[in-house]
Amino acid sequence: MKKLFNRPIRIPAKQRILTKTLFHLFAVGYLVWLFYAGINDQLGGDPVEALLNATGIMAINLLLFTLALSPLAQRLPCGVLITYRRMSGIYVFVYALMHFLTYIGFELGFDFSLIGSELLKRPYIMVGFTALIILLLLTITSVNKVRRKMGRKWQTLHNFVYLALGLAILHYTWALKTGWQSPVFYWIGAILLVLSRQRILRLLKINS
């Protein structure tokens, strides 16, 4: 993979702390604003649908961003970008979880007896729920202590993040009942990320 710069890019510790702080403020602030606006009827005629769309799309956007960090760190080169991956990945799960809770809270009224029937009746919900479970497992095992205990199994498990991405975009595409418009761009982005990962793996094998 050809690097964009001959020398590695260094990001000072203070700048890393600042950028991570801004990222936290944005991720949390946007989520708080969404629900505040929804509760106060500032999201249009169907605030529940607006909340579902916003949280779901943000989860996919953050997942694409998280997966893009590795090839970006290789290409720039700027290895410190990898340190942002866990933080961003956790927010992927947070937004996906809020997307799910919005559905079962506002659409089903937290009637958990309906969840099973909804999963069977609406396959696209099953697809999204499967992606959420994968993200849950990845978030739980993102702790360094757990990672050390899992050893090589950790990487095997975390490779499922690409399956979660595919399922999330499929869930989005299925919910819209169209593969065009915005879903097609997400599919293109996902394919490019998978291809870039395969290229990185080949280079690592050659260098080893």
Side-chain angles (χ1 to χ4, degrees):
M1 179 180 292
K2 186 177 180 180
K3 294 179 172 57
L4 295 177
F5 301 99
N6 294 327
R7 296 180 180 180
I9 298 175
R10 309 292 182 184
I11 301 179
K14 289 184 178 180
Q15 290 186 13
R16 292 201 300 270
I17 293 173
L18 176 61
T19 53
K20 287 184 177 181
T21 300
L22 291 175
F23 189 94
H24 285 300
L25 290 174
F26 168 75
V28 175
Y30 180 63
L31 190 60
V32 171
W33 176 83
L34 274 176
F35 281 90
Y36 174 82
I39 292 172
N40 289 278
D41 291 327
Q42 297 176 7
L43 292 180
D46 192 343
V48 174
E49 186 66 23
L51 282 173
L52 285 171
N53 288 336
T55 52
I57 290 173
M58 180 58 78
I60 296 176
N61 288 337
L62 285 173
L63 184 51
L64 287 169
F65 171 76
T66 304
L67 293 175
L69 287 174
S70 291
L72 191 61
Q74 292 275 339
R75 189 79 185 274
L76 283 175
C78 184
V80 74
L81 288 176
I82 300 300
T83 63
Y84 294 80
R85 191 168 52 183
R86 178 169 62 179
M87 173 187 67
S88 179
I90 289 173
Y91 279 115
V92 173
F93 171 70
V94 170
Y95 272 89
L97 179 62
M98 295 311 298
H99 177 75
F100 178 68
L101 291 178
T102 298
Y103 177 74
I104 66 172
F106 293 107
E107 295 286 352
L108 303 183
F110 287 109
D111 187 347
F112 292 97
S113 63
L114 293 176
I115 295 178
S117 62
E118 285 293 301
L119 290 174
L120 294 175
K121 185 170 61 176
R122 306 179 192 274
Y124 78 93
I125 296 180
M126 175 66 80
V127 168
F129 184 72
T130 303
L132 178 64
I133 295 300
I134 294 174
L135 293 173
L136 171 62
L137 294 175
L138 300 183
T139 302
I140 292 173
T141 57
S142 66
V143 181
N144 288 332
K145 186 176 181 179
V146 177
R147 179 175 182 173
R148 287 193 295 269
K149 285 185 177 181
M150 291 184 66
R152 293 183 178 181
K153 293 180 180 179
W154 184 90
Q155 187 60 61
T156 301
L157 173 63
H158 278 250
N159 285 337
F160 278 88
V161 68
Y162 291 92
L163 175 60
L165 175 62
L167 291 174
I169 299 176
L170 178 59
H171 168 75
Y172 178 49
T173 305
W174 211 337
L176 290 182
K177 297 182 176 62
T178 176
W180 298 103
Q181 300 175 4
S182 54
V184 70
F185 296 105
Y186 285 111
W187 284 115
I188 292 172
I191 291 170
L192 291 175
L193 283 172
V194 171
L195 291 177
S196 68
R197 174 178 171 78
Q198 294 300 319
R199 191 172 182 181
I200 290 173
L201 289 176
R202 286 198 300 269
L203 286 172
L204 290 176
K205 289 179 180 179
I206 292 173
N207 293 333
S208 62

